[in-house]
Amino acid sequence: MIKKGGIEAMRTKTQTIQLNDDQLPILPSEPNAYLTFNIQNGSNELELMGNRTGLLLLAKAAFGMAETIREDGFHIHLDDLYGINADGKSILIRREEASKP
C-alpha cells in the first residue's frame, strides 16, 4: 500500500494473458521460476511458496485457465512445462465449473 496524506491507497497492476488459436493461455518460458507447495499432515491447508517469477507464472496460468473457453479437460502441468519444481511435486491447473459435494 502507498500512504498519501494519511490515507492508504492500493496500487494496481495489470497483467495481460494472451490466448493462442486453441484458446489456451500462452505462458512464456521462465527459466528462473521457482514454485512449490506444502500440505501439512492432517490439515486442509495448502501453502504455496515461490519466488516472484514463479508466483507470477502461477497467477498467469490460473488466470489464463479461468479465461479459456475450452471444456475438453485441458490442464496445465507447470512443473513439466517450466521445470519450476525442484522438489518433484506436481502442480496442475484445470478449470472445473461444477462444484463437487
Side-chain angles (χ1 to χ4, degrees):
M1 290 191 190
I2 302 171
K3 201 165 189 175
K4 287 185 172 184
I7 299 173
E8 292 185 6
M10 299 290 284
R11 280 196 280 175
T12 302
K13 277 198 146 185
T14 302
Q15 289 288 328
T16 301
I17 309 299
Q18 295 180 327
L19 302 177
N20 66 16
D21 291 339
D22 293 323
Q23 298 302 301
L24 302 174
I26 299 171
L27 301 171
S29 176
E30 300 286 358
N32 298 321
Y34 172 74
L35 186 65
T36 191
F37 63 90
N38 282 328
I39 300 173
Q40 301 299 325
N41 290 337
S43 172
N44 290 334
E45 185 173 284
L46 172 68
E47 179 184 23
L48 292 167
M49 300 158 293
N51 63 8
R52 181 180 187 279
T53 305
L55 291 171
L56 283 172
L57 180 61
L58 174 64
K60 290 175 185 178
F63 184 72
M65 287 303 295
E67 291 299 310
T68 187
I69 59 173
R70 291 186 53 162
E71 297 178 8
D72 61 358
F74 174 79
H75 57 276
I76 297 173
H77 285 267
L78 289 179
D79 45 321
D80 288 345
L81 290 175
Y82 300 98
I84 61 173
N85 194 346
D87 299 331
K89 299 174 185 174
S90 183
I91 299 173
L92 180 133
I93 299 175
R94 176 178 57 219
R95 178 177 167 170
E96 188 174 283
E97 292 298 323
S99 62
K100 293 187 177 183

